[in-house]
Amino acid sequence: MMGRLIGLDLGTVRIGVAITDPLGLFAQGIAVWRVDSGWIENLKRLIAESAPVDLVVVGLPLRTTGLEGPEAARIRKMAETIAEEISPVPVEFIDERFSTTRAHQILLEGNVDARKRRTRVDKVAAAVFLQDFLDRGRKGNG
């Protein structure tokens, strides 16, 4: 892949943001944006500053059965808005089940205190599923 990928964990209050390194090997959580504070403009700015960006990966919250519920419908609707705003950069989905649990575990293992965990978990969750997306792509290409 030539450009970077951006991962978005779209919550109802906060949006976790992750980005890959220029080679597309590693994902890193970089920001948490509030849903009520111009996050689309933040995303456009990040895309411009990180160019080229090949893809925005949005975590899709599936039920443990693998089926979509009302939350997934909300995310799909937000992703439609994102796709319109950042065109021609495409938007894809990835199953984000357990990414928040894994993010909490990573922060616990890193001895991050509870207060800081709350403020960081969204961007770490975005990095978790963005890394999954990268790893899956490598397996598919290798």
Side-chain angles (χ1 to χ4, degrees):
M1 216 167 253
M2 298 300 289
R4 293 179 168 206
L5 306 185
I6 293 173
L8 297 177
D9 184 13
L10 301 174
T12 53
V13 177
R14 291 178 306 278
I15 296 171
V17 185
I19 193 165
T20 62
D21 65 292
L23 298 176
L25 299 175
F26 302 104
Q28 176 183 359
I30 59 164
V32 177
W33 298 328
R34 293 194 54 83
V35 170
D36 60 5
S37 66
W39 63 271
I40 289 273
E41 297 309 315
N42 290 344
L43 178 58
K44 288 179 181 178
R45 191 175 316 110
L46 177 61
I47 289 170
E49 291 169 357
S50 306
V53 172
D54 284 343
L55 183 65
V56 171
V57 179
V58 172
L60 191 63
L62 301 178
R63 294 179 169 163
T64 51
T65 60
L67 298 175
E68 293 187 21
E71 188 64 11
R74 183 185 69 79
I75 297 300
R76 285 191 180 278
K77 190 159 181 52
M78 283 179 80
E80 280 179 31
T81 302
I82 292 167
E84 289 169 10
E85 292 285 338
I86 66 169
S87 181
V89 178
V91 175
E92 276 188 39
F93 296 100
I94 186 169
D95 178 356
E96 71 160 22
R97 279 180 289 180
F98 313 116
S99 62
T100 300
T101 304
R102 289 164 57 202
H104 276 290
Q105 190 62 39
I106 289 165
L107 292 167
L108 273 171
E109 289 171 5
N111 291 320
V112 177
D113 74 59
R115 198 167 39 92
K116 288 183 180 168
R117 275 198 307 269
R118 275 195 301 280
T119 61
R120 296 179 185 171
V121 71
D122 300 298
K123 69 181 178 182
V124 174
V128 164
F129 66 69
L130 186 57
Q131 189 66 51
D132 287 348
F133 187 90
L134 292 172
D135 294 345
R136 190 181 67 200
R138 274 196 286 279
K139 284 183 194 129
N141 294 334

